[in-house]
Amino acid sequence: AGSLMATKHSQPQSALARGLTAGSTAAPRLMAAESTEIPAYVTKCPSNGLCSRLPPDCMICNTNYSCIYGKPATFDCKVKPHVHCVDQNNLEQENFTINMTCQFCWQLPTTDYVCTNSTNCMTVSCPRQRYNATCTVRDHIHCLGNRVFPKMLYCNWTGGYKWSTALALSITLGGFGADRFYLGQWREGLGKLFSFGGLGIWTLIDVLLIGVGYVGPADGSLYI
């Protein structure tokens, strides 16, 4: 009887012990998974570099509302979690200041941001066409406001056509429509071919129009 009672009492204890053991091992694993999770922005942040040289995605800065547009200004910043940087004395720090020009991102020079390009608009047209582009500020540039912004830009892309080749064809073989064929303008090329260059008049006009860049590729791109 004594052994039976001991067995009956030992079974709940062993089950409870197993539950506690399972719980104690599961909790650290969950905490470890949460603690080792690294934000995506950390890949853009150089480790142990100068805090003032960090990309904007690696820091949080307070807006200096007293700055004057176009003038140098100082901003108080703090590194984001999991980001490590140092000062001039190679000492790790979290709070620091950066110097930048007081201006919004969309007011930056064109060399400080990258924009999407469009191959569906006509670059050779009058007036010049524009398209809606999405621009992103380069990583090492600091500015106010959104770092991704829309902007209207002039069509500026090329399909690989050379202006010198088109002009040479217009001067030498323009009477047979070779210049128009080269630019992808098949109907005009056939018209020049069967009319012998418009009896020479069309040929002379095309030499002038291609020379000044008024006539361009049929796809609307720029010469190279």
Side-chain angles (χ1 to χ4, degrees), residues 81-155:
H82 301 282
V83 178
H84 303 280
C85 62
V86 296
D87 58 6
Q88 298 290 344
N89 298 322
N90 204 28
L91 299 176
E92 186 171 355
Q93 61 178 172
E94 293 185 358
N95 300 307
F96 57 95
T97 59
I98 61 170
N99 297 319
M100 56 178 284
T101 304
C102 181
Q103 61 183 349
F104 288 98
C105 295
W106 59 270
Q107 297 172 319
L108 290 170
T110 55
T111 55
D112 291 341
Y113 53 83
V114 180
C115 299
T116 57
N117 204 352
S118 174
T119 58
N120 297 324
C121 59
M122 299 289 292
T123 57
V124 182
S125 63
C126 185
R128 291 184 62 186
Q129 291 187 4
R130 297 192 181 200
Y131 68 99
N132 292 317
T134 301
C135 302
T136 305
V137 181
R138 299 183 184 273
D139 289 340
H140 64 282
I141 303 297
H142 297 277
C143 56
L144 301 176
N146 296 327
R147 299 184 61 82
V148 179
F149 54 91
K151 196 165 188 178
M152 291 289 294
L153 298 178
Y154 285 112
C155 298

Side-chain angles (χ1 to χ4, degrees), residues 12-194:
Q13 291 178 358
S14 61
L16 179 61
R18 285 196 302 269
L20 292 175
T21 304
S24 61
T25 55
R29 289 181 184 174
L30 182 59
M31 293 176 61
E34 292 179 353
S35 61
T36 56
E37 185 179 355
I38 300 177
Y41 61 79
V42 176
T43 57
K44 301 180 180 180
C45 308
S47 180
N48 296 326
L50 289 176
C51 295
S52 58
R53 299 291 182 89
L54 286 175
D57 291 339
C58 306
M59 64 181 74
I60 301 175
C61 299
N62 296 325
T63 304
N64 186 354
Y65 293 101
S66 61
C67 68
I68 301 175
Y69 171 73
K71 300 293 183 179
T74 301
F75 293 81
D76 296 325
C77 301
K78 180 180 180 180
V79 294
K80 291 184 178 180
H82 301 282
V83 178
H84 303 280
C85 62
V86 296
D87 58 6
Q88 298 290 344
N89 298 322
N90 204 28
L91 299 176
E92 186 171 355
Q93 61 178 172
E94 293 185 358
N95 300 307
F96 57 95
T97 59
I98 61 170
N99 297 319
M100 56 178 284
T101 304
C102 181
Q103 61 183 349
F104 288 98
C105 295
W106 59 270
Q107 297 172 319
L108 290 170
T110 55
T111 55
D112 291 341
Y113 53 83
V114 180
C115 299
T116 57
N117 204 352
S118 174
T119 58
N120 297 324
C121 59
M122 299 289 292
T123 57
V124 182
S125 63
C126 185
R128 291 184 62 186
Q129 291 187 4
R130 297 192 181 200
Y131 68 99
N132 292 317
T134 301
C135 302
T136 305
V137 181
R138 299 183 184 273
D139 289 340
H140 64 282
I141 303 297
H142 297 277
C143 56
L144 301 176
N146 296 327
R147 299 184 61 82
V148 179
F149 54 91
K151 196 165 188 178
M152 291 289 294
L153 298 178
Y154 285 112
C155 298
N156 186 21
W157 65 284
T158 179
Y161 296 93
K162 292 185 178 180
W163 172 81
S164 58
T165 302
L167 182 60
L169 290 174
S170 183
I171 295 174
T172 57
L173 300 174
F176 302 98
D179 50 353
R180 294 283 184 165
F181 286 127
Y182 172 74
L183 296 175
Q185 302 175 6
W186 296 97
R187 289 179 297 181
E188 291 81 354
L190 291 174
K192 291 183 69 174
L193 176 63
F194 291 111

